Every structure is written in structure tokens, then in C-alpha cells.
Amino acid sequence: MKLCRFISKGRVHQGVYRDGLLLDEAGEAHDPEGVTWLLPFTPGKVIGVALNYADHAEELGLSRPEEPALFWKPNSSLLPHKGVVRYPQGAEYMHYEVELAVVVGRPMRKVKVKDALDYVLGYTIANDLVVRDYVSNTFRPPIRAKGRDTFGPLGPFLVVGEVEDPQNLVLRAYVNGELRQEGHTSRMLYSVAELLEYISEFMTLEPYDVILTGTPKGISRVFPGDVMRLEIQGLGALENPIEEEA
């Protein structure tokens, strides 16, 4: 089931996506191009995982982490499908990162790998945007680079009960219709279950907390005027235009 939230005719709706249409609580159909999209749910904590694909670490000239490298993605950075990303004035190198986002369904503490996926509510698509200018090897986590307002597009759906194996999904990123990035979740250094075990060992994860699981090789610069379209197999497509920050 693909759950979503949107505004139509001045009203906020919680609905589902089916056969190319958005169906609201009463079953009334809405054109996806004629609504204002909202985040598909209200996230709790948002935790990112850096360098979780070996090929991405290699393209940045960085070594593989010996354990999951975590950082916070502030909730103020989150942006829905079709929302406008603001390009910071003076930035030289800004890029997208297509990522599988895992949404927690019930409280987790010290959960083992074999049980971890039982605690997952569903999945969505994330764009973990970065200004590479502000990333250095000296300071971690890269909050200034990744935590800016509008730098966390998420959606368009919360997909529940449709992903049989989170380690068997194709990820793609397009810019202005051009394929720029392609990868597969089987190539994660730490699987979804392993990440949930690692994080829940020292931190209680709660319903609607979100884990961003990293991005594969294929980052490239984006500019004001570009449109990013991120796709993950079975989860839909997350699209956001870029405009220069005022």
C-alpha cells in the first residue's frame, strides 16, 4: 500500500496511491498533478548513514568505515515531493544522493539482526542533498553540508507491505531526464537489518523514526533550474526542482 498526504481544494487529506490516482479518505480520486504534496507521514528522528556503499566511498577517495558512520538529518531540512530545493548562494558543488529510507513501526531497543525487519513499518525515498564545499575530513557529522533547509526531500509515499526484501531494490537518480546515478541495495556495506541492530543497541528507535541508508556511486553537480527525479524500485519517484536561494 502506498500511503500519502496531500492538500486538495484547501483540505489536507491522508490517502493512498492506486492506478495513477490519489484516493482520499472518502475514496474520491485526485489528480497527482493537481494537488500540493505533503510529507507522507510526520517523521520522528532522522538518522543518516554515510559511506554505506563501497563504490561511493571510492569515488570520494575515502576509506570504508569500520562501523556505520551516522549523522543527524534535521527535521527542518525535510521537504515533500515537488517541493522546491534552495541552492545556497555561493555554493560551488551541490549534489543529490538517492537513498532508501527505512521507517520504524514500533519501539526498538537492542534488537538483533534476525528480528530487525519485523520492526519496520515501511519504506520511502530520500534525497540526502549535500553541498560538498562544506564537507571536510576534519569535522563529522557534516551538518552544515547536509542539514540545510530543503536539503531532505522525502516521499512521495510511505510504502507499507510491498517490499519483500530491502536488499533487492534498484535505485536511480535523474537530472533533467538524464540518468546520473544507478545502484542496488544489495551492495550496501551494512544491510537495513544490520543498521537497525547497530543503532538500537545504544538508542531507542521509535515509531516514524527514519533511517537513511546511504547512496551508491554516481553523484554529480546540480544547479538552479535543474529538476531531480529519484526512483527506487517499487517505491515510486521523488521529484524536486532547484531554485537559487534568495
Side-chain angles (χ1 to χ4, degrees):
M1 181 180 298
K2 292 180 171 65
L3 305 177
C4 55
R5 298 174 66 240
F6 58 92
I7 298 174
S8 180
K9 299 177 182 178
R11 295 190 60 194
V12 175
H13 294 283
Q14 296 187 358
V16 297
Y17 178 77
R18 188 176 301 147
D19 298 328
L21 295 172
L22 303 176
L23 304 180
D24 65 20
E25 306 89 335
E28 181 180 347
H30 300 259
D31 181 356
E33 298 300 323
V35 304
T36 300
W37 290 81
L38 303 173
L39 294 174
F41 59 96
T42 301
K45 300 184 289 290
V46 182
I47 302 170
V49 182
L51 306 177
N52 198 31
Y53 288 77
D55 56 3
H56 178 54
E58 290 166 2
E59 76 174 333
L60 295 175
L62 300 174
S63 59
R64 302 183 185 189
E66 296 181 0
E67 59 184 27
L70 307 181
F71 62 91
W72 293 106
K73 193 79 171 180
N75 291 64
S76 54
S77 72
L78 300 180
L79 189 72
H81 178 54
K82 300 288 189 178
V84 177
V85 172
R86 299 298 180 184
Y87 188 98
Q89 291 188 0
E92 292 292 331
Y93 189 1
M94 173 176 156
H95 64 80
Y96 51 83
E97 293 187 353
V98 58
E99 305 202 9
L100 175 67
V102 182
V103 183
V104 175
R106 53 194 175 103
M108 299 183 65
R109 186 73 167 97
K110 295 185 181 294
V111 172
K112 298 303 181 184
V113 165
K114 64 181 179 63
D115 302 316
L117 295 184
D118 294 338
Y119 289 76
V120 172
L121 172 62
Y123 301 89
T124 189
I125 304 170
N127 187 352
D128 181 22
L129 286 155
V130 186
V131 175
R132 186 57 52 184
D133 315 25
Y134 304 144
V135 178
S136 74
N137 291 330
T138 304
F139 297 101
R140 284 285 184 178
I143 296 297
R144 187 183 180 200
K146 290 174 172 278
R148 306 181 72 89
D149 290 354
T150 76
F151 268 41
L154 193 72
F157 312 115
L158 170 57
V159 180
V160 177
E162 295 186 11
V163 176
E164 294 184 3
D165 181 1
Q167 306 310 140
N168 189 30
L169 301 173
V170 176
L171 309 89
R172 296 188 178 94
Y174 297 83
V175 179
N176 304 327
E178 176 191 359
L179 179 62
R180 297 276 188 91
Q181 184 180 28
E182 187 170 20
H184 197 275
T185 56
S186 64
R187 302 194 66 187
M188 288 182 187
L189 295 176
Y190 299 97
S191 69
V192 169
E194 289 169 334
L195 291 172
L196 291 172
E197 179 186 70
Y198 177 81
I199 297 169
S200 72
E201 192 279 327
F202 62 88
M203 179 193 306
T204 299
L205 293 173
E206 299 167 312
Y208 296 102
D209 284 351
V210 180
I211 311 299
L212 311 183
T213 58
T215 198
K217 178 181 178 180
I219 60 170
S220 65
R221 294 174 70 183
V222 290
F223 302 92
D226 288 342
V227 177
M228 302 169 291
R229 180 181 174 89
L230 277 51
E231 300 178 355
I232 298 181
Q233 180 181 347
L235 302 187
L238 173 65
E239 187 172 298
N240 297 92
I242 304 172
E243 295 182 4
E244 189 160 13
E245 191 175 59

